[in-house]
Amino acid sequence: MDSIQDITLVQLFTSYIFILLLIAIVKWLGIRREKEILIASIRMSIQLALVGYLLTYVFENPNPFITVLIILFMQSFAVYNVYKRVKTTIAADLKKIIAFSLFIGTTFSMIYFDFIVIQFTPWYDPRYFIPIAGMIIGNSMTGITLGISTLMDGMHSRRPFIESSLMLGATPKEASRSIVRQSFDAAILPTVNSMVGMGIVFLPGMMTGVILSGADPLIAIKYQIVILLGITASVSLSILLLLQLGYKTFFNKKAQLKRTS
Amino acid sequence: MFYLKNIEVNPILHIENLTFEKQKITSIIGKSGSGKSTLLKLLNQLNNYDSGIIEYEGKDISTINPIQLRREVVMLSQTPSIYEGSVKENLLIGLKFSEKNTESINDQKLLALLELFDLHKNLEENAEELSGGEKQRLAFARIILMDPPVYLLDEPTSALDDETTDEVMGQFFQFVKRNQKTVIMVTHSIKVAEKYSDQIIDITKLNEKEMSVTHG
């Protein structure tokens, strides 16, 4: 840990100069995105500064309640983010299923990878628990957003196709099978693709962090492998729950496709 | 086969009394937007009605499991639905949907069925590459293979040109007569209605007051 070189405040501000330069170029070229880049940079800095202080406190005072509370907050924020990022209105019963799938999918994966695979002590050690949770929850959130968007879009645009299958006596499950499969693909592909390019195209954030902190790259890699498998498991589990429960909400008791507004 | 009494689907349909007879071919005609397809979809529970009663074989239709009903009352959609995969998979998918055994069906039978509809295709060919008319003929072959007692056809000739219409409908209704099936067909073509039906119902008139049934 002591081998890591600190960044002074002056150095930190130097990095903003580069961004300001970039903003000037963007403005000069008339791309009209200077405001967005500026706001995003400021927002990111404030958010991370606050998290930095929060994590310092939490790491110095490890407490099981605080750790669990932070995880619950992260999960809730992820659910809220999915609702916000999906362009169309989500029906109330589908919203419940999104929340359920994200909570159950990420919780099970965290329990397995934290307590059975890594086995850090104490079990609530925020130094391990919180960053791992961040990666698992964040990726599952992205997966669920992609999966639910594809599912809703498919159920809407392929309505005649689903009805044709029902006309031939198909169950709702059979009639929506191809759309469910497409939604799973859309949700899981980014995770699968990132695994394929891992280590060759890019070094993931977590590994970079561990290596910078002075740890042996081999340990960093072992952590990275476990985390990536944890992410894949969590995304898959959340999406499977979401799709297996979610497609049903588009049908009524008479196995009819519900009218959409 | 079907009996409808005091059916209301607001604001589209008002039917006091209507009977579709068993083993007969009935055509439903009427202006577009008059509720022809809506009426058809009442018979396989794909649409709901606000009030009244519909009986199928003497049983209140709302007490029948809709999925089981649709396996007996098979409907052909207006635009043919083609599934990812081969011609063979597309032929068999109806049976698969209705959870029927497909083991007894060999390739020869499938090829004969394609031949019947003038589809000279390889069973392994990609079904998505067929033309619009060919897809509709494949859809006809698919529902014949399912062999249910009742067929509902929604504008079955809209994807076919005049020449193929005669050929395809001729083959289909030959099969229907030979196997004593019941058919209820929505069509905008008076010619098709007159040529093949035992009974023609003008839904516009039906909506205006009582039944108006012409026996052909």
Side-chain angles (χ1 to χ4, degrees), chain A residues 107-143:
Chain A
T107 304
F108 265 88
S109 307
M110 283 188 284
I111 289 175
Y112 185 84
F113 284 90
D114 287 350
F115 304 153
I116 297 174
V117 179
I118 306 179
Q119 297 184 11
F120 48 81
T121 45
W123 67 266
Y124 54 86
D125 188 349
R127 220 172 263 278
Y128 289 89
F129 214 136
I130 293 172
I132 292 173
M135 282 179 280
I136 284 183
I137 296 169
N139 282 284
S140 303
M141 175 185 81
T142 308

Side-chain angles (χ1 to χ4, degrees), chain B residues 193-209:
Chain B
E194 283 177 343
K195 189 163 179 184
Y196 299 104
S197 340
D198 303 309
Q199 180 182 241
I200 297 173
I201 294 168
D202 186 338
I203 197 165
T204 323
K205 287 181 188 158
L206 195 70
N207 260 332
E208 275 165 14
K209 46 185 189 92

Side-chain angles (χ1 to χ4, degrees), chain B residues 69-111:
Chain B
L69 177 74
R70 289 173 205 147
R71 290 171 183 178
E72 271 184 43
V73 182
V74 165
M75 181 161 169
L76 182 77
S77 56
Q78 194 170 353
T79 40
S81 53
I82 294 299
Y83 299 82
E84 207 179 295
S86 65
V87 167
K88 183 178 177 174
E89 285 167 304
N90 267 277
L91 281 171
L92 293 174
I93 204 156
L95 290 170
K96 208 185 115 207
F97 280 158
S98 49
E99 294 170 343
K100 286 191 184 112
N101 197 352
T102 54
E103 276 169 23
S104 61
I105 294 158
N106 54 32
D107 286 2
Q108 255 169 337
K109 187 173 177 180
L110 296 179
L111 284 169

Side-chain angles (χ1 to χ4, degrees), chain B:
Chain B
M1 203 82 192
F2 287 98
Y3 173 61
L4 290 79
K5 192 174 170 60
N6 296 328
I7 287 297
E8 293 274 342
V9 180
N10 291 321
I12 317 158
L13 276 180
H14 314 278
I15 299 170
E16 281 189 29
N17 272 298
L18 181 60
T19 307
F20 293 106
E21 283 171 56
K22 198 171 185 165
Q23 295 168 9
K24 288 273 159 59
I25 300 165
T26 309
S27 286
I28 303 169
I29 57 166
K31 286 182 227 148
S32 60
S34 56
K36 301 191 290 287
S37 296
T38 307
L39 172 58
L40 208 57
K41 285 181 182 172
L42 290 179
L43 306 178
N44 67 352
Q45 289 205 57
L46 264 180
N47 274 349
N48 297 323
Y49 44 97
D50 298 308
S51 62
I53 190 160
I54 300 179
E55 286 178 0
Y56 169 66
E57 296 262 64
K59 258 166 88 180
D60 182 349
I61 208 168
S62 63
T63 63
I64 305 172
N65 175 319
I67 294 166
Q68 294 307 326
L69 177 74
R70 289 173 205 147
R71 290 171 183 178
E72 271 184 43
V73 182
V74 165
M75 181 161 169
L76 182 77
S77 56
Q78 194 170 353
T79 40
S81 53
I82 294 299
Y83 299 82
E84 207 179 295
S86 65
V87 167
K88 183 178 177 174
E89 285 167 304
N90 267 277
L91 281 171
L92 293 174
I93 204 156
L95 290 170
K96 208 185 115 207
F97 280 158
S98 49
E99 294 170 343
K100 286 191 184 112
N101 197 352
T102 54
E103 276 169 23
S104 61
I105 294 158
N106 54 32
D107 286 2
Q108 255 169 337
K109 187 173 177 180
L110 296 179
L111 284 169
L113 200 56
L114 290 180
E115 200 69 24
L116 189 69
F117 285 103
D118 211 18
L119 267 175
H120 309 286
K121 296 287 167 189
N122 189 322
L123 285 177
E124 300 311 321
E125 212 163 305
N126 181 357
E128 286 172 310
E129 283 169 13
L130 301 180
S131 73
E134 287 171 335
K135 284 177 181 166
Q136 185 67 334
R137 284 183 271 162
L138 177 62
F140 262 110
R142 177 197 290 153
I143 59 168
I144 282 198
L145 199 61
M146 293 177 76
D147 199 26
V150 186
Y151 286 106
L152 306 177
L153 311 179
D154 191 3
E155 298 283 8
T157 60
S158 59
L160 303 171
D161 56 44
D162 285 352
E163 200 184 319
T164 21
T165 294
D166 278 345
E167 224 179 271
V168 172
M169 298 309 273
Q171 289 294 353
F172 180 73
F173 285 112
Q174 214 174 354
F175 163 84
V176 162
K177 296 252 162 151
R178 200 169 49 231
N179 296 281
Q180 299 177 313
K181 307 286 186 190
T182 307
V183 177
I184 300 160
M185 161 169 74
V186 160
T187 179
H188 65 275
S189 160
I190 308 277
K191 217 170 83 187
V192 168
E194 283 177 343
K195 189 163 179 184
Y196 299 104
S197 340
D198 303 309
Q199 180 182 241
I200 297 173
I201 294 168
D202 186 338
I203 197 165
T204 323
K205 287 181 188 158
L206 195 70
N207 260 332
E208 275 165 14
K209 46 185 189 92
E210 287 205 10
M211 293 209 303
S212 162
V213 178
T214 327
H215 288 275

Side-chain angles (χ1 to χ4, degrees), chain A residues 59-124:
Chain A
F59 287 177
E60 281 168 6
N61 307 283
N63 176 311
F65 291 110
I66 292 179
T67 301
V68 170
L69 207 68
I70 289 175
I71 303 298
L72 283 175
F73 173 78
M74 287 163 96
Q75 288 172 320
S76 308
F77 186 73
V79 170
Y80 167 76
N81 233 328
V82 174
Y83 294 165
K84 228 178 72 180
R85 275 160 64 180
V86 174
K87 301 271 183 315
T88 38
T89 326
I90 313 171
D93 46 356
L94 197 55
K95 275 190 173 178
K96 280 184 212 153
I97 288 169
I98 291 173
F100 175 81
S101 312
L102 200 137
F103 270 98
I104 299 294
T106 55
T107 304
F108 265 88
S109 307
M110 283 188 284
I111 289 175
Y112 185 84
F113 284 90
D114 287 350
F115 304 153
I116 297 174
V117 179
I118 306 179
Q119 297 184 11
F120 48 81
T121 45
W123 67 266
Y124 54 86

